[in-house]
Amino acid sequence: MAPQQRRAPSRRLAVVAAAVATAAALASGPGFAAGAGVARVAAPVPAPAAANPAGAAAKPAPPAPSGTAFGAYLDYGSRGVARIAQLSKWLDGADLRVGHTYLPGDRWSSIEGPPGFLDVWANWRNGRDDRMLVLNVPMLERNEADLSDRTVRRLLRLGADGRFDHHFRRLAERLVGVNAPDTVIVLGWEMNGITYTHRCGPDPEAWKAYWKRIVTTMRAVPGQKFKFDFAPSRGRDAVPWTQCYPGNDTVDVIGMDSYDQPAGISFDQQVTEPYGLQAHVDFAKSHGKPISYPEWGLFRNGDNPGYMRSMLAWMDRHRPLYNTLTDYCPHGVWQCGQNPQASRIYRSLLSGRTGGPDAVSSTSASTLPDPTKEPAPEPTAEPTVGPTKEPAQEPVKEPAGEPVAEPAQPPAPATPAPQPAPTCAPLGLSEWIEHWVGGKLCVRLDRWSPGR
């Protein structure tokens, strides 16, 4: 669910849409034809992740703590790495040990992990021995293209026969090559739904055989130490996720993507529904596997502090291997300003934490005061709040009545992003196209002005 929303294209004028098609075609070849009406805009240099944001002297890596590692999905590119330190600062130095990103499923070359993309995440992972890199990997290209069940069934069977083995071998070799051999691979996530081409429903038996084929191929690469995470969405969805389980020999972790949906559902119902949170915990226990929550957050029920409190308490109780909040609107609490009450719960429970969510026991989520009531004054000012996802949204604010200082905005990047010329309309192409063409693109509007 999350990647589809993250990459949803915006609507444009018909003339710009035509230009996008032209640019995409040109991007597949070497360079541009002169006078094509498409200009290249230099891409900004991304800010590097702060290895030691406090400026303190480097220290040896601490021993890996027991219990749950946690983090958040903040962006799938280099900005996501840079924001880990910023979110940690907002959480009073909390130890975010999980970096989470996705490989786009637009084409096989993306699923192979294009050069330059994996390096920045591997560098962050290798900054400390106790960190964890979580990588969502699509099983098929055109993964969000709404392909028919008939087409999906054919592709799954081709995969089970080994047709796509070389793509996953290449990915495994690249991960080992950038020194990320212990990456947690969330393969074919939310397979029980209908969103993705890599869905299980059209042919569960072929899907399971294909999963096994991918895992066997990647495990055969020398030096690998991958963990494979089977992560359906909560509930039955299009097909019971238990029908898609490929077997203990090729699964290391049993995860679940769990958002606060559908509208009107209580957290207790999320626990007890068929194929819900309790069924997930029980299933994993019966198979001797740890659990995880690669995606979770708010959704259909808005700013829901009760859900936030209950979900954190649930993870405190059941000790997943890791969890990563999806932190953009409408799901998030740091980059999304529309959930201030849930933001306060998340921040109150996780601020300053260094030992994983099992440390919640000292500040139990079930006993945290209700944020809808008048909170007690806090003695210190609020730390810096991170950026919001949409420019028009307000930054996260505390409930009225709490005497806190106005949150400061994060400093501007050292290298400001260049703006396109007034005669250009920027094209919203993916980072992958921009990488190959050497920068951002815009359409020269004067090509369509009267008299031309």
Side-chain angles (χ1 to χ4, degrees), residues 328-407:
Y328 61 85
C329 285
H331 312 302
V333 296
W334 179 58
Q335 297 184 107
C336 179
Q338 69 189 41
N339 302 312
Q341 295 188 44
S343 175
R344 178 177 176 268
I345 294 292
Y346 184 86
R347 190 176 184 190
S348 297
L349 287 171
L350 299 185
S351 283
R353 180 173 300 171
T354 59
D358 53 338
V360 166
S361 56
S362 63
T363 309
S364 173
S366 62
T367 60
L368 190 73
D370 190 331
T372 60
K373 298 179 181 179
E374 181 94 10
E378 294 190 69
T380 58
E382 292 288 343
T384 301
V385 176
T388 56
K389 181 68 174 177
E390 299 294 340
Q393 292 170 341
E394 293 294 326
V396 175
K397 297 180 180 178
E398 299 296 328
E402 186 164 354
V404 296
E406 185 69 17

Side-chain angles (χ1 to χ4, degrees), residues 18-346:
V20 171
T22 302
L26 290 169
S28 63
F32 294 88
V38 180
R40 180 180 297 161
V41 181
V45 178
N52 190 0
K59 298 179 180 180
S66 60
T68 300
F70 74 102
Y73 170 77
L74 301 168
D75 186 89
Y76 74 98
S78 58
R79 288 185 296 269
V81 176
R83 289 171 184 167
I84 294 174
Q86 298 171 28
L87 177 57
S88 174
K89 183 176 180 180
W90 182 69
L91 291 172
D92 296 330
D95 188 9
L96 304 181
R97 293 198 287 123
V98 185
H100 187 188
T101 189
Y102 296 74
L103 291 176
D106 53 347
R107 62 190 69 182
W108 283 117
S109 59
S110 297
I111 297 173
E112 292 176 354
F117 176 78
L118 296 173
D119 303 61
V120 64
W121 289 98
N123 290 341
W124 175 86
R125 159 65 187 91
N126 290 312
R128 270 180 33 195
D129 290 342
D130 61 344
R131 287 176 176 170
M132 180 185 302
L133 175 58
V134 175
L135 180 66
N136 278 48
V137 176
M139 295 170 69
L140 292 166
E141 69 172 349
R142 296 181 293 164
N143 200 36
E144 298 178 35
D146 298 321
L147 301 184
S148 68
D149 282 355
R150 179 179 179 181
T151 300
V152 170
R153 188 178 301 111
R154 178 178 64 84
L155 292 172
L156 291 175
R157 291 174 180 177
L158 288 173
D161 289 339
R163 181 71 62 88
F164 310 128
D165 287 2
H166 59 290
H167 299 299
F168 295 97
R169 184 180 304 110
R170 182 62 175 147
L171 171 61
E173 290 170 347
R174 283 177 169 167
L175 284 168
V176 171
V178 297
N179 197 26
D182 56 353
T183 298
V184 177
I185 307 289
V186 186
L187 182 64
W189 70 99
E190 298 183 12
M191 76 300 294
N192 55 323
I194 60 173
T195 300
Y196 300 112
T197 300
H198 66 215
R199 59 189 182 271
C200 169
D203 193 335
E205 294 306 313
W207 192 93
K208 290 186 286 188
Y210 183 30
W211 167 288
K212 292 179 180 180
R213 185 103 194 185
I214 294 171
V215 173
T216 300
T217 297
M218 295 186 71
R219 283 179 174 171
V221 171
Q224 68 80 34
K225 302 175 185 177
F226 304 126
K227 288 185 173 63
F228 290 90
D229 192 336
F230 171 84
S233 56
R234 196 197 74 243
R236 187 184 190 279
D237 215 323
V239 62
W241 50 262
T242 52
Q243 293 183 11
C244 308
Y245 187 68
N248 289 345
D249 56 336
T250 56
V251 172
D252 300 295
V253 183
I254 298 178
M256 177 166 281
D257 290 356
S258 185
Y259 291 92
D260 185 23
Q261 64 170 338
I265 191 173
S266 69
F267 186 80
D268 286 345
Q269 290 172 305
Q270 296 179 31
V271 171
T272 60
E273 69 176 324
Y275 308 101
L277 291 172
Q278 188 62 56
H280 167 230
V281 169
D282 294 343
F283 185 86
K285 184 177 181 180
S286 69
H287 288 269
K289 304 293 182 181
I291 62 172
S292 71
Y293 297 98
E295 293 184 26
W296 69 279
L298 304 160
F299 198 11
R300 303 293 185 185
N301 294 293
D303 184 11
N304 188 348
Y307 164 82
M308 184 61 63
R309 181 189 301 108
S310 296
M311 189 65 183
L312 289 170
W314 177 265
M315 290 187 287
D316 173 36
R317 186 177 310 123
H318 294 287
R319 310 289 180 91
L321 178 66
Y322 71 91
N323 82 78
T324 45
L325 176 77
T326 300
D327 193 60
Y328 61 85
C329 285
H331 312 302
V333 296
W334 179 58
Q335 297 184 107
C336 179
Q338 69 189 41
N339 302 312
Q341 295 188 44
S343 175
R344 178 177 176 268
I345 294 292
Y346 184 86

Side-chain angles (χ1 to χ4, degrees), residues 419-443:
Q419 299 298 318
T423 57
C424 282
L427 300 183
L429 303 179
S430 71
E431 289 188 1
W432 308 105
I433 293 179
E434 292 169 0
H435 170 76
W436 291 114
V437 303
K440 295 185 179 295
L441 305 178
C442 69
V443 178

